[in-house]
Amino acid sequence: MSSELYWNSAGNIGSFKYTCGHCGAAVASDQGWYTFDRDQHEPGEEHIRVCSHCGRPTFFETPDTQIPGIPFGHAVMHVPETSVTQLYEEARKATAEGCYTAAILCCRKLLMHIAVAKGAKPGESFALYVEYLMSNNYIPPDAKEWVDFIRSKGERSQPSHRYHES
């Protein structure tokens, strides 16, 4: 590791385009802080940008590594069951943080909730829920591959899954 880095005073540090991990807006912020290496008398890669839309800070360790990260996909509106919306948002947030196993487990539970909402019996196995969704045409033919991906990834992570309504 190089010498100790110091943060400069807040101000104009040059424009930088990114998607805010807080509000999802595409912004080109020029306000924030950057690091400075006193030994080498050069700016460091690390910087904090202030979103011009929501005003929250985003930390960039490198140009490709930002905290908070960007959630995968887009928010879905007008879903009648709040538990489905909450699980979907939890899976999106997990991907933003690089927690992909947690995201897969949320997606598995999401599929289970959807199956029960569409008429499957509570308390069945995940495999039966997937089969129910497929046999009742709730999963389009071109989506079977990603549903199978979620099924196979989760099998290695968890023993048996049963959905019980709470």
Side-chain angles (χ1 to χ4, degrees):
M1 177 153 211
S2 67
S3 61
E4 194 170 336
L5 298 174
Y6 297 89
W7 292 94
N8 75 330
S9 298
N12 187 321
I13 59 173
S15 186
F16 182 79
K17 286 174 38 174
Y18 67 99
T19 301
C20 178
H22 296 286
C23 70
V27 295
S29 174
D30 64 357
Q31 295 297 304
W33 300 262
Y34 63 88
T35 56
F36 190 83
D37 185 325
R38 287 189 180 173
D39 292 342
Q40 296 178 8
H41 304 289
E42 295 178 3
E45 269 195 313
E46 296 89 351
H47 57 281
I48 296 173
R49 300 285 172 158
V50 177
C51 175
S52 56
H53 187 258
C54 72
R56 293 184 179 143
T58 298
F59 172 69
F60 292 88
E61 190 169 23
T62 67
D64 298 330
T65 305
Q66 78 177 59
I67 300 169
I70 305 165
F72 181 79
H74 301 284
V76 177
M77 303 298 180
H78 312 296
V79 176
E81 195 172 326
T82 58
S83 63
V84 170
T85 303
Q86 290 170 342
L87 274 169
Y88 177 69
E89 286 303 316
E90 188 173 338
R92 291 183 68 226
K93 289 175 185 173
T95 63
E97 301 304 322
C99 303
Y100 302 112
T101 300
I104 287 170
L105 292 174
C106 283
C107 289
R108 287 173 60 94
K109 186 165 176 145
L110 183 60
L111 288 171
M112 295 164 80
H113 273 266
I114 292 168
V116 169
K118 294 297 183 183
K121 238 175 42 175
E124 298 293 341
S125 70
F126 178 73
L128 285 174
Y129 286 131
V130 170
E131 182 55 41
Y132 178 87
L133 291 170
M134 285 185 186
S135 63
N136 288 282
N137 298 315
Y138 290 113
I139 298 174
D142 60 348
K144 288 181 181 178
E145 187 176 317
W146 64 259
V147 171
D148 191 54
F149 176 81
I150 292 170
R151 182 196 55 76
S152 67
K153 291 296 180 191
E155 284 177 352
R156 288 187 224 132
S157 303
Q158 292 290 317
S160 171
H161 291 298
R162 302 258 180 218
Y163 173 76
H164 298 282
E165 288 187 294
S166 45

